[in-house]
Amino acid sequence: MDMKVGEAGAMSKIDPIELEIIRHSFLSVPNHIEKNIVRTAFSPLIYEYKDFAVGVLDADARLIAQAKGSLPIFVANALGVAVADGLAIYGRDNLHPGDVVITNHAGTLGQHLNNVVMYTPIYVNGERDLFGFMAVLAHWMDVGGSIVGSFLRTDSSEIFQEGIQFRTIKLRARGAPVGETYRMIETNTRFPTMVMGDIEAQLSGCLMGRDLVIGIIERFGLDKVRSAVRHMWAQTEMATRAAIAAIPDGEYRASTKLDDDGVRIGEPLPIDVIVRIAGDAIEIDLSGLGKQAAGPINAGFNGGALAACRIACKFLFTAGETGNDGAFRPLKVIVPDGTFLSASATAPMGWSGTTLPTVVDTIIRALAEAAPGLVTAAHHGTYGNYVFHGNNPATGELFQHIDSSAGGWGAGRDHDGTGPSRSLAHGDIQDVPAEMQEAMYPLRIDLVGLRPDSGGAGRHRGGLGIERGYTVLCDCVLTTNFDRNLCPPWGLDGGLDGTSGHVEIRRGDAPAEIVRKGMFQLRAGDRVRVVTGGGGGYGPPQERDPAHIREDLENGVVSVEAARRYYHARLAGD
């Protein structure tokens, strides 16, 4: 156990029923704040898509509780490293009650600059004792840079082209707004109304969350609450170690690749992973990652290598446990500086998160033979971002519509793949309703449906991707970022691969142009079809239950041709 001297005695004093009450009291705080942010944010990226995270941390920046809907890439561990940077810069003596701090520093978070962490200290006992911090990370629509949306440029070569950086600065000081900071933010965004509105929702979440945590401490007492937090960490750590210990000791490997970095087209980036299990501890070695990329798919260590390994471990070992610091104590991450997931602070990071689903998938794949009950076939494994931006003729204002793809997840040893869902780095991301998209943007949605035959065939079939069709109603720019073409979602144990995704652009009567990464000028009336990937299959297709094949045919999930080709199904008329 990772406990300080004297912690064991303090942990033994709390009543188990009271512990559960305190645990769920803490869990309710970020969930409550999440709902309030959804109700008060200005941008649909926040209130519909839910591109944010909420967490409570202790005075040493260790995660105590997170919201259920928080994105995995953020809570593993953007909130903690942001607060740790503030403690290093200000020290506890210069973080006062009422202070609110923001940061999006690439050298700290290791993510694109649109992701901004805001946090406030939680003081108790007459503002004498620092208990911890309430933190909210939100994706701001635009933070300057050379292109609308800041992170969307596909050929940026350094972080400075992607927006302004706020390296741990105060938004509020002792409760009073810092005017200079507000002016700096408002002047460096193309969407001041949306961004400033989202900031107020983010700020209200921090302040309300702080007050709710103070209420818990006032009810139970500071010593008892701190003891309960140590119990929560210890229980999660024990559950994680027990799950790891169930895997045979050994060294396990997997190798995959990314298509390219968006700049050096056609040059794949290797992902060679080694996972070492020793008793109840796990070591993930990412020394085999490709070098820092020329294009903006890089991430720093905290937002890249560390985040990928933590997501993989949470997914594998304690998917049913609440997320907190204890879940990651058995994990050691090895990666040299200078890979695309341990890039320098000045590297381009606009598309920083897009590689993580494939890297996490690869880590999981490494344990396929050692833990077949835990490991599924690959999921569609790409953000599949597509973004429209331009001037809306109905309002005369700039618009930006960001979305990511939902696709199929891999089948398991005893079940078909699920989906369509977002990538495993996204978490509880929702679809923005078609009616809302059409009301807010000069777009018409012509088609939304499942993509037949996209899931890999197998004893258990991979989940399906989708097809979504748009007609653009004004001249605009489309930016796309799809991967997994060279390394489609793999099957396991004889299961077949799922299909990859892409985007089709139709201009008048011309043949469809198939694209995956880049920026494309569109004219009013052009049509865009987004096609997402399916999950891999598990087990030989010939072993699939005929009843399930018939059901797939009836539901249009599998075509007659695919049933004959992959499952050797005998159909009426054969």
Side-chain angles (χ1 to χ4, degrees), residues 355-375:
T355 66
L356 262 65
T358 301
V359 176
V360 174
D361 246 1
T362 308
I363 294 170
I364 293 170
R365 182 183 187 177
L367 294 174
E369 292 186 10
L374 284 177
V375 176

Side-chain angles (χ1 to χ4, degrees), residues 278-316:
D280 62 359
I282 181 171
E283 179 179 275
I284 301 177
D285 189 337
L286 299 181
S287 300
L289 292 179
K291 299 299 183 183
Q292 180 172 310
I297 66 164
N298 298 293
F301 171 76
N302 289 315
L306 180 64
C309 294
R310 285 187 164 196
I311 293 169
C313 287
K314 192 72 177 67
F315 184 90
L316 283 168

